[in-house]
Amino acid sequence: MIIVKNPAELESMRVVCKKTATILHKVAAKVAPGVTTKELDDYAAELAKKEEGRCAFYGYHGFSGHICSSVNEEVVHGVPGRRVVRNGDVVSIDFGLCFGGFVGDTAITVACGEIDPKWQRLLDTTQECLAAAIEKAVEGNRLSDISNAVQVVAGRDGFSVVRDFVGHGIGRDMHEDPQIPNYGPPGRGPVLKAGMTLAIEPMINLGVHKTETLNDGWTVVTKDRLPSAHFEHTVAVGKTQAEILTIPVLDS
């Protein structure tokens, strides 16, 4: 069952999602040559504590990080640790926060210094995939219209869509119905209604779409070890336009 949030619940979602996005933005700004993914993780935990929130990923099914930090060929669920970020890397950071009884979830992939132009095009296209998908999060559309929008943009630029991992509904729980694939034909699945809240998250690969999970049981990598990009927003389905909830508050 896809939960439609009432106005009070949507306002609570706005609050937690703004906090989530602001923390992610600050952590992403710390990406630089020489930083470790554990240092990024520690910073996220510190910021969450200041906001009196709880990191949604920490302890989830035994996950040991406060963020997911995925570098280069790592797609999602990278476990923070001793890995040192180097010039030319791309770093995907996924962060969720619990606050006020609701959950926000958002992700970004950032470049560390100068990166390969093909890698930059991958990042740009993945952001375009997310924007195109969000445009479809409007009442009356079908769920797969979101999925198809991602696939069309990624395919246009010659990239592949990860099929093993998907977006999801979100609200009081981090993972609610429905699952939201990033591929497939349009016009299928449930009809969208205003007030549904969705975590839309394209995961796009430079090479093949196939992935595998490393021996740590968490870190997902591309089968061909070429880079991947991951962007995510939590959005509310609207009558005529989706509302992006995970917009950071930027320092002036």
Side-chain angles (χ1 to χ4, degrees), residues 26-247:
K26 290 179 177 179
V27 174
K30 293 289 187 183
V31 171
V35 72
T36 66
T37 55
K38 178 66 164 59
E39 288 171 331
L40 298 175
D41 189 69
D42 289 343
Y43 186 49
E46 176 189 331
L47 293 173
K49 186 176 181 180
K50 287 181 180 178
E51 290 291 340
E52 300 182 340
R54 177 175 62 82
C55 295
F57 302 166
Y58 184 69
Y60 186 76
H61 295 297
F63 188 73
S64 61
H66 301 88
I67 62 172
C68 295
S69 55
S70 307
V71 182
N72 296 342
E73 75 283 356
E74 297 172 350
V75 181
V76 286
H77 304 161
V79 182
R82 293 180 293 179
R83 183 162 184 170
V84 177
V85 178
R86 304 187 185 282
N87 184 62
D89 285 345
V90 293
V91 184
S92 296
I93 303 169
D94 192 356
F95 180 67
L97 185 74
C98 303
F99 180 85
F102 289 85
V103 187
D105 192 5
T106 184
I108 190 173
T109 303
V110 296
C112 181
E114 291 269 339
I115 64 171
D116 187 304
K118 291 181 182 178
W119 295 26
Q120 184 62 57
R121 190 162 63 89
L122 174 66
L123 269 59
D124 294 341
T125 294
T126 307
Q127 287 183 282
E128 289 182 46
C129 287
L130 179 57
I134 291 171
E135 285 185 2
K136 298 296 183 180
V138 176
E139 185 167 89
N141 282 347
R142 296 273 185 175
L143 183 67
S144 75
D145 294 335
I146 293 173
S147 307
N148 179 256
V150 174
Q151 185 174 26
V152 167
V153 174
R156 177 202 69 193
D157 289 353
F159 300 123
S160 61
V161 176
V162 171
R163 295 175 177 240
D164 298 329
F165 300 90
V166 300
H168 50 92
I170 188 169
R172 292 187 183 275
D173 295 315
M174 183 163 61
H175 292 117
E176 298 182 349
D177 288 337
Q179 292 193 343
I180 311 170
N182 290 306
Y183 64 95
R188 298 184 181 181
V191 176
L192 300 177
K193 297 179 181 179
M196 292 177 174
T197 48
L198 310 173
I200 301 174
E201 49 179 324
M203 290 155 271
I204 309 298
N205 295 346
L206 183 65
V208 301
H209 72 82
K210 294 181 179 180
T211 66
E212 60 186 23
T213 303
L214 298 183
N215 290 336
D216 64 11
W218 285 104
T219 306
V220 177
V221 298
T222 55
K223 191 79 172 177
D224 56 13
R225 300 303 192 267
L226 291 177
S228 184
H230 178 204
F231 287 84
E232 176 183 20
H233 272 309
T234 298
V235 306
V237 175
K239 294 280 188 182
T240 59
Q241 182 177 338
E243 179 185 356
I244 300 174
L245 301 176
T246 43
I247 299 294

